[in-house]
């Protein structure tokens, strides 16, 4: 249990890595907030103006690019072991997303399942990434 708690709390990572991870986490949170607000506004019919829609998309894309650049910076400054943990988690997230959503699309075509929802794809990728991080940190610490 102690090992699992240390994996969650990123014990053993240098302060630089924790600072970089916190920056990535903050930008990810901001990106999710821009996604939620933009989706809500679009659903309520408040983004019918081309200018409002352009502003909403631009803010979302700019925050997303900042998040990606922050994550790239985080990865380049990690030590080899933590970089291996991150790579394993990314591979798991992509693999789970591809397999689960390609399977769903087959079921969607063959039965009366509702259309795929992109929000589910983001959630599945995020959750499998988190599982991969914990699994990797438990294996290497």
């Amino acid at each position: 249990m102690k090992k699992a708690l240390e994996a969650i709390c990123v014990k053993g990572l240098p302060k630089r890595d924790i600072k970089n991870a916190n920056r990535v986490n903050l930008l990810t949170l901001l990106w999710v907030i821009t996604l939620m607000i933009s989706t809500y506004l679009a659903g309520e019919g408040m983004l019918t103006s081309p200018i409002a829609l352009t502003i909403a998309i631009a803010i979302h894309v700019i925050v997303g690019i900042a998040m990606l650049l922050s994550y790239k910076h985080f990865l380049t400054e990690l030590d080899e072991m933590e970089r291996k943990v991150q790579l394993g988690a990314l591979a798991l997230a992509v693999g789970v997303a591809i397999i689960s959503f390609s399977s769903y699309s087959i079921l969607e075509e063959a039965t009366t399942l509702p259309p795929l929802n992109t929000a589910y794809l983001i959630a599945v990728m995020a959750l499998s990434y988190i599982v991969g991080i914990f699994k990797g940190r438990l294996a290497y610490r």
Side-chain angles (χ1 to χ4, degrees):
M1 183 65 172
K2 181 182 177 191
K3 216 174 174 188
L5 200 54
E6 287 179 358
I8 293 169
C9 297
V10 296
K11 279 238 179 186
L13 287 181
K15 288 185 189 251
R16 174 196 71 210
D17 293 346
I18 294 171
K19 178 183 170 190
N20 288 336
N22 286 338
R23 183 178 299 124
V24 171
N25 292 339
L26 176 63
L27 285 167
T28 302
L29 179 62
L30 290 174
W31 178 79
V32 168
I33 289 170
T34 65
L35 176 62
M36 289 171 44
I37 291 171
S38 298
T39 302
Y40 174 77
L41 293 175
E44 293 295 314
M46 297 177 170
L47 294 180
T48 54
S49 158
I51 293 172
L53 183 59
T54 302
I55 290 170
I57 296 293
I59 291 170
H60 182 68
V61 168
I62 289 168
V63 172
I65 291 170
M67 175 186 65
L68 287 174
L69 293 174
S70 173
Y71 187 68
K72 182 181 183 300
H73 176 76
F74 168 69
L75 287 176
T76 58
E77 292 203 358
L78 288 173
D79 64 14
E80 191 174 318
M81 185 173 59
E82 185 63 24
R83 199 175 298 138
K84 187 173 182 174
V85 168
Q86 293 288 328
L87 180 61
L90 288 170
L92 178 65
V94 170
V96 166
I98 289 171
I99 292 167
S100 60
F101 281 88
S102 63
S103 299
Y104 187 96
S105 68
I106 293 168
L107 290 171
E108 180 184 358
E109 290 296 319
T111 63
T112 58
L113 290 177
L116 285 171
N117 186 334
T118 54
Y120 298 151
L121 176 62
I122 294 169
V124 165
M125 289 183 77
L127 291 173
S128 55
Y129 173 74
I130 290 168
V131 167
I133 293 291
F134 292 147
K135 181 180 172 253
R137 287 190 181 146
L138 289 173
Y140 295 114
R141 298 215 185 263

